Amino acid sequence: MGLVVKWFFKDNPVPLYQWVAGHVPMVHPGPFSERLDVEYEASEDADHKHSGLRILNPTVDMSGDYKCQASTFDLELEIPRKLVVYSKPSNVEIWTQEVGDDSVRVYCKVRDIYPEPEVTFHMMSEDESDRSKLEGVDVVKTWDDNLYHAMVEVLVKEEELDGPTHFECEVTIPHTQVLVTNKTHYEPRAKVGAGKDDMVSGSEDHSAMAVVVSLAFLAIWRF
């Protein structure tokens, strides 16, 4: 059969791992030389026993594209695989700041995450039955100590809000199931002008009613 299995990392033409059926696996010198488990058995079948790759204590620098090359005397196959070693964010913070008389700016800060995250904003009704994605978001990402950080913000007109609103910051890592969210509650401000008009109208109505009642009482007294 002559089965030979080789594992490659990214574009390196030198395999990091090689196994010839019936022999002990070999690890080539390099950053993986102390991190691969040569005793790992992917199957009890002798023809597949050491075909798998097991990395001990993987770190973020080992993320990337891998390729398994299996060959025999008659056939050769290549199978790509992607490995994502990720770090969840240490903190996702969201808050709002009123801008002028008619707008609110929503902020979200994400700390210590890897690899580069995707951050989106959503707006939802108080009972969360109506949820929509916010557009026009500004994102600034930085890199420090092998981790990403992000500051995200968006400006929303209060006229677009239908009463009390939840703003949600959603953080995801591509090619993983990582999903971290945080949200904040916002109460739209009342229109000051409309409030005054309502108060004046109410006072006038109250005064007119008092006059009518007084006149009616006077008429009864005179009778």
Side-chain angles (χ1 to χ4, degrees):
M1 184 178 181
L3 175 63
V4 179
V5 176
K6 298 179 181 179
W7 279 93
F8 299 85
F9 181 53
K10 295 184 176 178
D11 296 325
N12 192 339
V14 178
L16 55 94
Y17 174 91
Q18 178 175 311
W19 173 58
V20 178
H23 296 77
V24 177
M26 295 175 52
V27 178
H28 291 261
F32 287 82
S33 58
E34 302 296 328
R35 309 292 288 278
L36 298 182
D37 183 3
V38 295
E39 297 182 357
Y40 172 66
E41 298 182 2
S43 172
E44 296 181 357
D45 186 340
D47 293 333
H48 299 86
K49 189 174 183 179
H50 294 292
S51 60
L53 195 66
R54 184 183 186 189
I55 303 174
L56 302 173
N57 301 316
T59 51
V60 295
D61 57 305
M62 294 179 174
S63 293
D65 296 322
Y66 289 76
K67 180 177 63 177
C68 175
Q69 183 184 84
S71 60
T72 65
F73 295 135
D74 304 315
L75 184 66
E76 181 175 294
L77 296 175
E78 289 187 355
I79 303 173
R81 287 290 183 268
K82 179 180 290 290
L83 173 66
V84 179
V85 181
Y86 60 83
S87 175
K88 291 184 178 181
S90 63
N91 185 45
V92 176
E93 183 180 1
I94 183 171
W95 70 97
T96 59
Q97 181 181 36
E98 294 175 348
V99 179
D101 295 329
D102 62 350
S103 301
V104 57
R105 190 175 294 277
V106 188
Y107 297 90
C108 182
K109 182 167 65 174
V110 182
R111 297 286 302 171
D112 306 321
I113 187 171
Y114 185 88
E116 185 174 357
E118 293 182 356
V119 185
T120 56
F121 275 129
H122 291 89
M123 179 175 69
M124 64 188 75
S125 57
E126 192 170 26
D127 62 0
E128 301 187 8
S129 60
D130 184 19
R131 184 173 185 267
S132 60
K133 182 179 178 181
L134 292 176
E135 303 296 340
V137 176
D138 294 322
V139 183
V140 177
K141 296 177 183 178
T142 56
W143 171 259
D144 180 51
D145 196 23
N146 294 323
L147 293 170
Y148 283 96
H149 317 283
M151 174 62 78
V152 189
E153 60 182 83
V154 64
L155 185 68
V156 180
K157 292 289 186 180
E158 288 206 358
E159 62 186 20
E160 301 175 11
L161 307 180
D162 186 18
T165 302
H166 290 304
F167 290 111
E168 179 186 66
C169 180
E170 180 181 277
V171 183
T172 59
I173 297 178
H175 308 295
T176 74
Q177 296 182 346
V178 174
L179 171 64
V180 181
T181 63
N182 197 3
K183 62 185 177 183
T184 187
H185 182 77
Y186 183 73
E187 293 279 349
R189 290 163 289 179
K191 303 301 180 182
V192 177
K196 288 183 177 179
D197 291 341
D198 291 344
M199 290 177 64
V200 171
S201 175
S203 299
E204 291 175 349
D205 292 343
H206 179 75
S207 299
M209 180 62 71
V211 171
V212 171
V213 172
S214 298
L215 290 175
F217 179 77
L218 180 61
I220 294 172
W221 178 260
R222 287 180 177 176
F223 179 80

